[in-house]
């Protein structure tokens, strides 16, 4: 099934000029970049985006981090895009990520893990809407 999913290139990767390298990887893996914009969000916006994690011990650190510098938000489209993007990204902890995945190649640590990807159909819809709402 052709799906759309939300991808974010996080501050650590933008800062290291990895945007084009990561975009090329999505294209090579047959995920089309439908929309892309470079933005910086406030801590409140990060808190809203990550509210699913509000009870977690890492929540405050995560929100500070996502709002700490420019990010690139993208809509990716392709066959099984949600699952495919998660596969291409690799495990949350770069140390546990499979060879060749973005997090294995470029992730610095469990928090500075270079990319975000929606984890379900509902969350993909909600997250795309969060960043690309047409007013
Ligand atoms: O990003 P992913 O869906 O793989 O992981 P998550 O469990 O939804 O966690 C969201 C984000 O929180 C991760 O990508 C990490 O940046 C961060 N995190 C963290 O800093 N420390 C943890 N122990 C777990 C997650
Ligand atoms: Mg997640």
């Amino acid at each position: 099934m052709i799906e759309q999913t939300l991808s974010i290139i996080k501050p650590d990767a933008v800062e290291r000029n990895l945007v084009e390298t990561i975009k090329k990887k999505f294209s090579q893996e047959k995920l089309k970049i439908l929309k892309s914009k470079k933005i910086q969000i406030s801590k409140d916006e990060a808190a809203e985006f990550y509210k699913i994690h509000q009870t977690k011990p890492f929540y405050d650190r995560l929100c500070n981090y996502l709002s700490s510098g420019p990010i690139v938000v993208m809509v990716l489209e392709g066959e099984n895009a949600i699952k495919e993007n998660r596969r291409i990204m690799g495990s949350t902890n770069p140390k546990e990520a499979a060879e060749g995945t973005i997090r294995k190649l470029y992730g610095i640590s469990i928090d500075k893990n270079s990319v975000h990807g929606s984890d379900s159909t509902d969350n993909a819809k909600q997250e795309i809407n969060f960043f690309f709402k047409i007013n």
Side-chain angles (χ1 to χ4, degrees), residues 49-122:
F49 178 75
Y50 270 133
K51 67 172 186 272
I52 197 168
H53 293 304
Q54 60 192 347
T55 60
K56 309 270 173 66
F58 57 83
Y59 181 59
D60 192 58
R61 188 165 42 94
L62 176 60
C63 299
N64 280 328
Y65 172 58
L66 197 71
S67 58
S68 68
I71 58 174
V72 175
V73 292
M74 294 169 288
V75 178
L76 305 180
E77 185 182 79
E79 191 68 28
N80 300 319
I82 297 165
K83 209 174 159 197
E84 274 298 284
N85 181 36
R86 298 284 306 184
R87 180 185 63 77
I88 296 161
M89 287 163 57
S91 301
T92 307
N93 188 345
K95 285 184 191 145
E96 290 162 12
E99 289 299 328
T101 61
I102 293 171
R103 284 167 164 173
K104 176 72 175 185
L105 288 167
Y106 310 117
I108 296 169
S109 58
I110 192 160
D111 46 333
K112 295 182 177 172
N113 59 5
S114 303
V115 280
H116 166 84
S118 310
D119 63 2
S120 67
T121 313
D122 283 353

Side-chain angles (χ1 to χ4, degrees), residues 1-6 49 75-76 82 116-133:
M1 193 181 38
I2 299 287
E3 295 174 335
Q4 292 183 0
T5 190
L6 184 89
F49 178 75
V75 178
L76 305 180
I82 297 165
H116 166 84
S118 310
D119 63 2
S120 67
T121 313
D122 283 353
N123 286 340
K125 282 203 184 86
Q126 202 184 311
E127 292 179 1
I128 289 169
N129 197 41
F130 184 90
F131 283 111
F132 295 97
K133 194 174 200 141

